[in-house]
Amino acid sequence: MTTSKRYAAGIIAIGLGLTLSACDRTDERLERLSEIGEGVMKQLGGEEIGASGGGTNMESVPVEARAFQGAMQEASPVRVATTTPSKFVVGSIVAKPRSLPQPETVEEAFTGPRIEDYEAYVASDEADAVIVVPTEEEIAELQNPSRSLNLGEPSRMDSNMKGRRIITIDPTSREQMAQGLPRAVLKDQRTLQYRLDEPAANAPEGTDGVAAERPRAMAPAAPIPQKSAERRLMMRQDALSAQVNAESQMIETAQRYGLAANIQRSRSGQMVIEVGSRAMKPTKYGGPDDDVTPWIAEDDESMTCPESMTPEEISEDAVLATVCVIEDLKASGEFEYVEKDWLYQNQFVRRPKNEGPITAVSITPNDPLWSLQWNFLNQGTGTGQVAGGAGFVDFWTKQATQGSPEVVVAIVDTGLEMSHPDIVDSPNVAAGWDMVTDIAMANDGDSRDSDPNDPGDQCPEEFVFEDTFHGTHVAGTVGASVSNNGNGVAGGAWNVKIVPVRALGKCGGRLSDINDAIRWAGGLIPEYDELGNEVWNDNPADIINLSIGLFRFCPASMQDAINAVTERGVVVVSAAGNDSVSTQYYAPGGCNNVVSVAAGDARGRIAPYSNYGAEVDVLAPGGDLQRDDNGDGRPDGILSTKHASNCTDPVTNESIADCYYAYEQGTSMAAPHVSAALALIKSKRPDLTGTALADVLLTALNPRSQEQCSGPCDQYPGAEPVSAGSEICRLPCGGGLLNLSDVNLDN
């Protein structure tokens, strides 16, 4: 793992010692597997396959259960590492106060024998408050009771901050704000709701210094499952004080430039300040009256806050104002980190579409498209094998398991197509959350809510002209779809629990949303329903999959979020990135405490688009749509679930307008193979968590040769030549190729 690269070259893989363990599935499943393996399958798409073949005959299922998108790509010009600057959300800044005390777990917070012990902690509505600071020009409107707090625009305070305490501060009360609380309050949308089934923390004091009334008679707390209790964080009063001091600095800085401010306080310690037009209208891209205010901007590292301009002049330029506020907050010394709210993208590799013939391979689940899923096959050159396979078939067979519903994989991505025919009735999908803040970016008509459905993410501004349904493809590889149901494709872990957490929408995903998504997925922070009630993830993740990327070093706030969940035993799996550069320049693939995954092809070699380097832990199937090394007449991409268009019926080779399966390629496709593999291992060894769980997988990799992890130097600028003057460069791709066949689960 990247934290210290504990798995350097030279680790000897644990030898095969697998024994057929007792069956933990039903006799019915064993009988089904036996039936599938018997005899020789009939013709499939006009080609006869061997006795080891599997899958339902494609001719016997409806076209919607077999049609898919994807074909061989034409050879493309040499790919050069991206030179496009990173992008960020204008007016949005992520920060954390310096010397913030560590939050405590519920168990630590409520072991005290006396009610007085609770006084050291704050209630949730205080911990997750939103501080709104309007400009002086907006004061009159805010004080007018006939006007709404959001100045007539739909804001996060209406649609996203449900349950959070919302306080509007009078920016003219400089003396009071300089002293911290109490502050002059224009409006306090306080919600004092106490759950009688949980221990009571002290109620927050009113802004006039008078304590709000707190219920004294509390019902006994219902037992909290250990997996949830150990990850639920509370906030101490001293931590709140540190945030209040930081808020004062934020308010003062915003006032210096005459900017409105919206400060979101979280018990996780992360704070988000939005300044300018975004502060009072945080959920809109812009409009007819706001065309000059950009929503997304390309990063210009040379831009600094000019001393020659007045604060009034600076405030007229939203991008420049963002830079100046960041510089001022950093200079204050009050913050551990202050950074732009970077925009992340999924890690698909775009490609054209074509058509071609079909030949089937291999066995095990009876899904009709299983014969095209080379990525799950065992490694080798024999029947039912492929050099770049990940060994799932061996694990399913030798370990007699395809996963356990007690194991949870959270997919932080674009959400999940809940109406997909291979997902709609899936018992594997648990309740998730939509973390996308901006309404236009969310593309579903509202902000954060309990619906993680993916409504699509077309973004012509970023040259994305069709919906990617990226998260559905990723989740399908892990196991969100119903496997072995005679329909579509199979996943890597058939029976695990998938929690979809939507953090990417139209044009990408905000760093601040992704950080919250990671923490919510790990069970560390709550979200809020329409009534303002806290909603915790009832299925805290054992594994979190991040098939996302940003071309820059790991942001401090993202590292903070990753550290928070890994400290509690979660394994974070990340795509290494698709820009043919060292993964150290990419996030989260280059962050510490992640399992960073590079993409391999069907030959078991690093794919030409994949990032590489010392930060990579493992190579896993990511696909290459320009090759057909397994000889099935189809591109060597990764076939999985997603709604697509311009498809092909593999039986008739006729064009189909729409379908539910597609080939894709990318490190986004490689990462979920590792997440599924970890889920399978934990299904057999539920005692394993965190680094111990990752150790089992990372010590059973198939080592790669220098040739298998190298490429043309002109395709990988900055890579090291294999020898002086060589045109071939080293592309370190981790400890080896994912190989579940060699996993040893003996105690």
Side-chain angles (χ1 to χ4, degrees):
M1 297 174 69
T2 312
T3 179
S4 61
K5 304 318 298 174
R6 295 174 292 111
Y7 311 104
I11 290 182
I12 301 176
I14 297 176
L16 285 172
L18 300 174
T19 57
L20 188 61
S21 62
C23 177
D24 64 356
R25 307 302 301 163
T26 63
D27 291 341
E28 179 183 354
R29 183 175 298 281
L30 287 177
E31 291 173 2
R32 185 183 300 118
L33 289 173
S34 176
E35 292 171 359
I36 292 172
E38 293 178 357
V40 178
M41 298 276 299
K42 300 296 183 181
Q43 289 188 340
L44 232 179
E47 295 290 337
E48 186 174 289
I49 62 175
S52 61
T56 297
N57 190 308
M58 291 187 192
E59 294 181 352
S60 67
V61 299
V63 66
E64 59 267 20
R66 69 195 189 206
F68 58 84
Q69 178 200 72
M72 292 292 295
Q73 256 191 20
E74 298 296 329
S76 59
V78 173
R79 180 183 176 87
V80 179
T82 182
T83 57
T84 302
S86 303
K87 297 181 179 180
F88 64 95
V89 180
V90 177
S92 186
I93 300 164
V94 184
K96 182 179 181 181
R98 188 176 297 281
S99 302
L100 190 72
Q102 287 294 317
E104 298 185 18
T105 65
V106 167
E107 183 178 0
E108 293 170 329
F110 295 108
T111 53
R114 298 171 302 171
I115 189 70
E116 288 78 8
D117 292 328
Y118 301 155
E119 297 295 335
Y121 300 90
V122 300
S124 60
D125 70 328
E126 180 77 2
D128 293 337
V130 178
I131 310 301
V132 178
V133 188
T135 62
E136 295 184 16
E137 290 76 12
E138 292 166 332
I139 284 291
E141 294 184 84
L142 286 169
Q143 289 176 321
N144 186 343
S146 65
R147 297 285 294 176
S148 65
L149 182 63
N150 59 20
L151 302 181
E153 292 289 345
S155 78
R156 181 178 305 153
M157 291 173 287
D158 292 322
S159 57
N160 181 53
M161 294 304 169
K162 309 179 187 76
R164 291 171 171 83
R165 183 182 176 203
I166 301 169
I167 304 173
T168 307
I169 299 295
D170 183 351
T172 62
S173 182
R174 297 176 185 274
E175 296 79 9
Q176 287 187 325
M177 284 188 294
Q179 300 170 3
L181 290 178
R183 314 179 197 186
V185 177
L186 288 172
K187 188 170 183 179
D188 185 349
Q189 294 181 323
R190 181 188 303 273
T191 302
L192 292 180
Q193 297 180 355
Y194 295 89
R195 294 186 60 183
L196 299 183
D197 61 343
E198 293 185 1
N202 63 300
E205 290 189 352
T207 51
D208 57 359
V210 179
E213 182 179 355
R214 177 179 58 193
R216 291 295 179 180
M218 308 298 290
I224 300 174
Q226 180 64 27
K227 190 173 181 181
S228 299
E230 66 186 10
R231 295 173 182 171
R232 289 190 177 186
L233 302 187
M234 302 299 293
M235 175 173 275
R236 294 178 56 89
Q237 289 281 10
D238 52 0
L240 175 62
S241 297
Q243 287 193 333
V244 169
N245 291 335
E247 284 170 9
S248 296
Q249 186 63 51
M250 290 175 169
I251 293 169
E252 179 183 337
T253 302
Q255 287 181 313
R256 184 176 303 130
Y257 299 101
L259 299 170
N262 180 328
I263 304 167
Q264 301 155 44
R265 180 197 302 158
S266 170
R267 72 190 71 183
S268 70
Q270 174 179 286
M271 302 175 72
V272 178
I273 175 173
E274 294 182 313
V275 295
S277 61
R278 291 192 58 76
M280 299 308 292
K281 307 173 186 178
T283 58
K284 64 191 291 286
Y285 273 102
D289 59 342
D290 199 24
D291 291 335
V292 297
T293 303
W295 180 78
I296 298 172
E298 291 187 351
D299 185 43
D300 181 357
E301 295 184 0
S302 66
M303 179 181 288
T304 59
C305 194
E307 296 181 0
S308 59
M309 295 178 65
T310 66
E312 291 75 16
E313 291 172 327
I314 291 172
S315 66
E316 295 299 317
D317 184 330
V319 175
L320 184 59
T322 305
V323 171
C324 290
V325 171
I326 290 175
E327 288 187 9
D328 285 8
L329 293 178
K330 286 182 176 179
S332 72
E334 292 285 342
F335 298 92
E336 179 179 326
Y337 56 74
V338 182
E339 55 195 4
K340 294 168 183 171
D341 203 346
W342 299 105
L343 199 68
Y344 280 71
Q345 302 295 334
N346 64 54
Q347 292 302 293
F348 270 161
V349 177
R350 303 293 171 201
R351 76 284 187 280
K353 303 172 179 65
N354 201 354
E355 298 174 5
I358 183 169
T359 301
V361 292
S362 205
I363 61 169
T364 298
N366 63 11
D367 305 274
L369 296 179
W370 164 252
S371 60
L372 304 179
Q373 296 184 271
W374 61 268
N375 39 301
F376 292 130
L377 301 183
N378 300 328
Q379 294 172 19
T381 57
T383 303
Q385 297 178 324
V386 64
F392 279 77
V393 172
D394 258 358
F395 194 95
W396 293 337
T397 305
K398 294 179 180 180
Q399 296 296 332
T401 183
Q402 296 82 40
S404 164
E406 299 302 314
V407 179
V408 180
V409 181
I411 310 294
V412 176
D413 214 291
T414 64
L416 193 62
E417 289 181 89
M418 296 301 184
S419 61
H420 190 287
D422 219 357
I423 292 175
V424 64
D425 294 321
S426 175
N428 302 347
V429 179
W433 204 265
D434 180 358
M435 283 285 181
V436 181
T437 295
D438 291 86
I439 289 180
M441 191 176 192
N443 208 29
D444 60 0
D446 56 24
S447 188
R448 292 189 179 185
D449 58 28
S450 61
D451 182 10
N453 183 65
D454 186 349
D457 58 357
Q458 292 185 40
C459 181
E461 302 95 314
E462 297 295 313
F463 306 103
V464 179
F465 297 104
E466 61 179 14
D467 296 320
T468 68
F469 297 115
H470 182 270
T472 303
H473 196 280
V474 170
T477 297
V478 177
S481 60
V482 183
S483 298
N484 206 37
N485 65 339
N487 186 39
V489 296
W494 303 0
N495 303 312
V496 300
K497 191 169 293 181
I498 305 295
V499 174
V501 188
R502 185 170 183 249
L504 274 66
K506 178 179 179 180
C507 300
R510 292 172 54 170
L511 171 62
S512 54
D513 288 344
I514 294 168
N515 291 343
D516 283 349
I518 292 170
R519 287 187 167 97
W520 187 85
L524 298 185
I525 62 173
E527 269 301 311
Y528 298 90
D529 64 18
E530 309 78 38
L531 301 178
N533 299 310
E534 287 187 357
V535 180
W536 293 85
N537 178 11
D538 289 333
N539 299 285
D542 300 295
I543 300 130
I544 297 176
N545 190 94
L546 300 176
S547 288
I548 59 178
L550 172 70
F551 187 45
R552 67 180 304 105
F553 292 112
C554 185
S557 63
M558 172 166 279
Q559 187 64 69
D560 195 26
I562 291 170
N563 292 347
V565 294
T566 56
E567 285 171 2
R568 285 161 179 79
V570 179
V571 181
V572 177
V573 179
S574 173
N578 297 338
D579 277 294
S580 309
V581 298
S582 174
T583 306
Q584 66 177 310
Y585 302 118
Y586 241 77
C591 295
N592 292 329
N593 295 326
V594 304
V595 178
S596 186
V597 188
D601 62 18
R603 300 171 297 171
R605 300 181 57 138
I606 190 169
Y609 53 79
S610 179
N611 288 355
Y612 58 89
E615 290 70 28
V616 173
D617 294 291
V618 58
L619 186 71
D624 186 345
L625 291 163
Q626 295 181 9
R627 304 187 65 89
D628 178 21
D629 290 303
N630 66 345
D632 67 355
R634 294 293 180 185
D636 290 341
I638 305 301
L639 188 60
S640 185
T641 48
K642 62 169 280 187
H643 183 270
S645 56
N646 300 320
C647 308
T648 300
D649 181 347
V651 172
T652 65
N653 275 331
E654 293 179 351
S655 295
I656 304 295
D658 296 287
C659 60
Y660 298 100
Y661 307 93
Y663 282 107
E664 296 289 357
Q665 62 181 2
T667 54
S668 273
M669 284 60 262
H673 285 84
V674 173
S675 294
L678 289 166
L680 288 175
I681 294 170
K682 187 168 178 64
S683 296
K684 293 295 293 185
R685 288 288 305 277
D687 56 304
L688 295 174
T689 61
T691 56
L693 174 59
D695 281 347
V696 174
L697 182 142
L698 295 175
T699 53
L701 304 178
N702 189 335
R704 299 291 85 187
S705 67
Q706 180 174 288
E707 180 184 10
Q708 291 167 320
C709 290
S710 62
C713 292
D714 60 356
Q715 191 171 344
Y716 300 91
E720 177 189 357
V722 296
S723 60
S726 175
E727 295 181 354
I728 301 298
C729 278
R730 305 177 194 274
L731 307 175
C733 56
L737 180 64
L738 175 63
N739 187 15
L740 276 169
S741 297
D742 285 349
V743 167
N744 189 327
L745 296 181
D746 294 339
N747 290 323

